[in-house]
Amino acid sequence: MTAPNSPEVDIVARSFTENGCTVTSIIYDPADAQQILYGTVTRDGVLVGSYYCADRIRQRDWRIVTADGHDLTVDGTPVRPLDEGSAVIVLTTILTAPKHEIDQLLRDATRPPR
């Protein structure tokens, strides 16, 4: 739905497969601004988690939400990927690992370089 006298803007869904997972991104104005509203990751039809950009204009301040509806954290600190690609990597590689390995993989991935 568009307000009177305002241009129509497309919202599209794009899907691809990464590491055996289906990644679906919802994109606002794909022909021009290409702002990602949010994305979901599923594996074998089961939700792994989702991601979204808290600052859609600048496309930064990314968040990951796990399948149980909570922000992804490691040792109580929220995981904040740098971009959509980083969020997808976390969801398709780390969160699909065996449960006993996930926390350590997150610690390793978020540890500052030495």
Side-chain angles (χ1 to χ4, degrees):
M1 176 179 205
T2 3
N5 300 323
S6 66
E8 287 191 35
V9 177
D10 287 330
I11 296 177
V12 299
R14 293 193 179 138
S15 294
F16 60 93
T17 302
E18 182 72 36
N19 195 34
C21 298
T22 301
V23 180
T24 303
S25 295
I26 306 302
I27 304 168
Y28 173 84
D29 198 10
D32 192 23
Q34 294 193 22
Q35 295 173 338
I36 298 161
L37 300 176
Y38 67 93
T40 61
V41 174
T42 59
R43 185 173 205 160
D44 300 325
V46 176
L47 181 67
V48 173
S50 61
Y51 58 92
Y52 66 96
C53 187
D55 184 349
R56 288 193 320 230
I57 302 300
R58 293 176 191 85
Q59 289 289 282
R60 62 181 183 204
D61 197 17
W62 290 84
R63 312 289 171 87
I64 295 176
V65 178
T66 61
D68 63 4
H70 296 97
D71 282 332
L72 180 61
T73 61
V74 60
D75 298 328
T77 303
V79 174
R80 297 290 187 247
L82 297 175
D83 52 27
E84 179 194 22
S86 299
V88 169
I89 288 170
V90 169
L91 286 161
T92 60
T93 60
I94 295 175
L95 291 187
T96 57
K99 291 225 183 270
H100 67 278
E101 295 177 13
I102 291 175
D103 284 345
Q104 187 59 49
L105 290 169
L106 282 170
R107 281 186 200 93
D108 293 345
T110 58
R111 182 178 307 133
R114 293 182 187 190

